[in-house]
Amino acid sequence: MRMPFVFELGCEEMPASLLPTIVQDARTKFESILAEARLPYSDLRVYATPRRLVVWVGEIDAVQEDRLITARGPSRAAAFDENGKPTRAAEGFARSWGVTVSELEIKDTPSGEYVYAVKTERGEPALRVLERVLPSFVRSLEFPRAMRWGDLDFSFVRPIRWVLCLLGADIISFELAGVKSSRTSRGHRLHCEAPVLVDHASRYFEAMRSAHVMIDQNERREEIIRRARGLSEELGGEAVLPDELLEEVVYLCEWPGVFRGTIDSEFLSLPREVIATTMQHHLRFFPVQKEGELLPYFIAVRNGEGPGLENVVAGCERVITARLKDARFFYNEDTSRRLEERVPELARIVFQEKLGTLLNKVMRVQALVQDFGHLLSKEERQRALRAAYLCKADVVTHLVYEFPELEGYVGRELALHDGEHPVVATAILEHHLPRRSGGAVPATPEGALISVCDKLDTLAGYFLIGKEPTGSQDPLGLRRAGFGVISVLWKSGLRLDLREAVEKAVANYTGFDEHQRRAVADLQSFLVQRAKVLFTDEGVRPDIVDAVLYHGIDFVERSWRKIQALREFLTHERIEDLLLAYKRVMNLARNSKEGEVREHLLVEQPEISLYRALRAAETELSTLYEREEFRSYLEKVAKLRGPVDEFLDRTLVMVEDDDIRLNRLALLKRTGEVLGKVAELGELR
Amino acid sequence: MTFQEIVAALKRFWADQGCLILEPYDVEKGAGTMNPATFLRVLGPEPWRAAYVEPSRRPVDGRYGENPNRLYQHQQFQVVLKPSPDDIQEIYLDSLAALGFDRKVHDIRFVEDNWEAPTLGAWGVGWEVWLDNMEVTQFTYFQQAGGLDCKPVTVEITYGLERIASYIQNVESVYDIEWAHGITYGELFHQNEVEQSKYAFDFSSVQLLFSLFDAYESEAQVALKEGIVLPAYDYVLKASHTFNLLDARGAISVGERAAFIARVRNLARLCARAFLEQRKAAGFPLLGEVKS
């Protein structure tokens, strides 16, 4: 027989930011608990609201599956005497497993023959099994920060206040954190006073619905989206519903009451990001826009839909008005001075104790931008230098002090206000990109160059003082900076030589002479690691990435092209030719020293043929390589297999004559270099 | 409701919940938490329930009296209950009802906000409470104070009185809040805001403050050595406030900051430990005395 099951853990308000992870964690752990408990089931669902974590199973077997137990006893020799009669040892063993001696089985094992007791253990009722495993399920849930409460020795994400647990109509009874499970739940905190009795697991959802709780987070989400869209359409605009904010709002209510409020349109003269940040980050409101411009409204979600909406709207409007007034005050203060006047003030902001002030940093970044200015046109170069000079100046504004997440946006707005070139303003904002992994990268070459230089400067500094990230910790965001460098170079097409840039970024710091060499090497391999992660995240086989990045990275985009080419070529009919030729050549060439091939020492026909084939191919190959047509390069170079095979099959390389031998090895070495120029093919599986 | 009526209503409500109604502590401090009635009493096994108003000074938040919502000094209504009662959220909602906020016609939410006071070696887990989207209360389950685990756990409820009063009285600026009988908050405190801001940002003597910090620190150490905890703790509070003044003056670099905080924390830890030892030596007199 199969029955529905519901488990509701009632808590004080759990953090909205954690609930998505808690839901996932609970699902995985509950699945494994049911599997371990040998309880077949179907239709497992996990839900959460601020006040409850719910596991609901549509059908669960009322009885655990039977289990076959096989226990090894004494050896055959010890269990039966010479007449085949069971010994006391056999009788004792049988008794302890609840079987008769005649039921004992003899099995042949690698260590000899042994007596076994085999029996079927009957499954227990699911009710009993669940009573035992549910408390450990709750204890197994993990949180970044758990807490204790009252006088209990129990920790959880927030205090547990009630537990409802039913299998069909029966209570699964156990105790958790001083709370006894029951069939009683609680409804909406504000709109349902009476306890909620649930008579059968199958009626859980309707019982909660009538207590003003919408259990299913997806339903709450759909409801918010639907109604927010409806409200914004009435206003002739569209609601801005970023996923992250939506997710948070979904977990901040048990029943979404969606409504709109108004702001004074005079605030619309503030930069869009200032208004949007105030709404989204500080108040969890959704802005409304029309053709990209904000409208003087917001859409908000309250918990529940009882009376008193006018109080809630008035409260929301009060708060946002106060916040926007503050923001306007700061904006007016900040625009009363030019951004460039603030740059010298960066001298009082410490970037890092050993690495100087933010002003020092700006100067270093500007120097790097100058070093790589040749990658840009003359106009671009001038704008990039200007933007680099201004890029940190907004740190000392009131707005950024109040809204740290607006760093960059404020710089852009103030630059525009000052009449700086629009691209300079954009580059100031863009140098912070990407803000998160997979986020947008700068669209202007100026922004891309400053972004890379700024991040490399940060990385170089921290590597010099031995603060490179270790383990899974990355408190300084250095891995993120590393990913940023690679992504920007990869996506923007900025042709910056990464090796050279790392060397220059490190050399820009003075007073760390003895650490320079190590920092350069460590930072280069750190960046290669970041590139490996990003490339494999694109679904590329790790061995392909390893092969291409084996000798490091000079141009990120070029490495990516090589990876693409190699990836395609692996399905090509000539791939075997290439790999075999490379393998055969490298077997001998790997250990050979550098040396020129001397033509007059080539005496046998196969080595002459190989040399000629190589010479004939080299010019075209190097053109293909320069043009980054790596796929054609691989196809072309694979054709060397014929001459390679013929040479290795018919010519003895390791001859007595030193000159001849070394010359043949040099020929192999040169062949190997040509074959392995795109990637270290030996890394491929 | 005037400001003083709000305070009176909260005092009456929490007195009915078995709280001692105490007075503010007379040393400058950044939060009601630093009052010994919270910081020291949350330690150890003895039950404790107390409520009081605490004027709290935060020099960096000073705005010369020009900002309608930011203050050098604001008034907190602080409630602590140890052990935390099982129905504390319900009790808290009832306290809002005592101020005229019927939960049926307002949106009240508990939004994650964990609390940490690095200078006290204290942290807790909890929420800010949103009343119609305004943060009106900080609600915290203490996990550690002075580096010591809190067991039983104390729950701390801190009402922002200015926020609540401006909502109840529907005024936009704290200075327009009626304290009582037509006397405004501005009349009482505006001059203080202007002058304290000027002092903290423009005129304080950095050298004097640095030397005061050192002096307070060594005086606390002297007192601790003699086993007199409460005077030592007074000097910890003074050192902490002096640090805040230096911070407002921009006199402490990012690099030095952590070191200054660590110096205060170290003293706070020693006071916490010594206080707990004293209570232990006295046989934890409140055990079994206070009934909840």
Side-chain angles (χ1 to χ4, degrees), chain A residues 407-655:
Chain A
E407 199 186 330
Y409 292 105
V410 172
R412 178 186 64 185
E413 292 303 320
L414 296 186
L416 287 172
H417 185 270
D418 290 350
E420 300 285 346
H421 192 286
V423 174
V424 170
T426 305
I428 291 173
L429 169 63
E430 285 185 341
H431 97 279
H432 290 285
L433 301 181
R435 294 211 183 230
R436 56 189 164 75
S437 84
V441 299
T444 64
E446 292 90 338
L449 181 57
I450 304 171
S451 166
V452 170
C453 293
D454 180 35
K455 291 172 179 66
L456 283 176
D457 175 72
T458 301
L459 288 164
Y462 282 111
F463 272 64
L464 278 168
I465 56 170
K467 297 256 184 192
E468 56 268 31
T470 50
S472 61
Q473 300 291 309
D474 187 22
L476 301 163
L478 299 183
R479 287 203 183 89
R480 198 176 63 229
F483 284 127
V485 169
I486 303 295
S487 322
V488 173
L489 290 175
W490 182 14
K491 300 285 164 64
S492 71
L494 185 70
R495 235 184 130 69
L496 174 133
D497 184 331
L498 194 57
R499 290 176 209 270
E500 189 189 349
V502 165
E503 278 166 22
K504 287 198 159 142
V506 171
N508 266 343
Y509 286 88
T510 47
F512 296 98
D513 295 350
E514 70 275 31
H515 301 301
Q516 289 225 351
R517 198 189 288 260
R518 183 189 54 81
V520 167
D522 288 355
L523 181 49
Q524 272 166 351
S525 64
F526 173 84
L527 290 168
V528 169
Q529 279 308 319
R530 306 281 80 72
K532 283 186 180 175
V533 172
L534 288 179
F535 292 156
T536 45
D537 279 356
E538 291 289 303
V540 182
R541 261 168 46 191
D543 59 325
I544 299 179
V545 176
D546 286 347
V548 171
L549 301 188
Y550 189 83
H551 296 294
I553 299 177
D554 35 24
F555 301 102
V556 175
E557 202 195 359
R558 184 160 79 182
S559 297
W560 176 243
R561 281 173 204 249
K562 287 180 179 178
I563 286 170
Q564 299 272 64
L566 183 56
R567 197 181 183 186
E568 282 171 28
F569 193 66
L570 284 181
T571 58
H572 193 276
E573 55 185 358
R574 282 198 167 273
I575 181 64
E576 284 306 313
D577 291 343
L578 178 63
L579 295 182
L580 284 174
Y582 186 74
K583 193 173 167 198
R584 294 195 74 185
V585 166
M586 293 312 282
N587 277 343
L588 286 167
R590 202 172 295 278
N591 302 316
S592 76
K593 301 213 170 55
E594 298 298 323
E596 282 293 302
V597 179
R598 285 177 289 174
E599 265 179 76
H600 70 274
L601 291 173
L602 299 168
V603 287
E604 293 184 15
Q605 193 50 45
E607 59 183 330
I608 294 169
S609 305
L610 173 59
Y611 183 67
R612 283 192 183 143
L614 198 60
R615 286 289 302 270
E618 270 173 339
T619 319
E620 193 190 342
L621 284 174
S622 77
T623 310
L624 289 172
Y625 191 89
E626 286 311 315
R627 289 194 193 139
E628 306 198 350
E629 292 175 24
F630 301 119
R631 168 79 197 268
S632 308
Y633 183 100
L634 292 169
E635 271 177 50
K636 172 95 187 160
V637 84
K639 292 183 182 152
L640 287 175
R641 181 184 172 182
V644 165
D645 278 350
E646 188 172 302
F647 171 63
L648 290 171
D649 291 345
R650 294 179 42 202
T651 310
L652 184 64
V653 176
M654 306 308 272
V655 291

Side-chain angles (χ1 to χ4, degrees), chain A residues 36 67 85 115 224 291 344 372 384 397 598 600 618 661:
Chain A
E36 255 173 67
R67 175 166 65 160
K85 292 233 167 177
V115 164
I224 293 169
E291 285 152 14
F372 291 94
T397 60
R598 285 177 289 174
H600 70 274
E618 270 173 339
R661 189 180 68 247

Side-chain angles (χ1 to χ4, degrees), chain B residues 26-44:
Chain B
D26 65 345
V27 178
E28 310 95 314
K29 67 192 77 58
T33 308
M34 301 171 98
N35 185 316
T38 294
F39 179 70
L40 296 177
R41 293 285 181 170
V42 300
L43 302 164

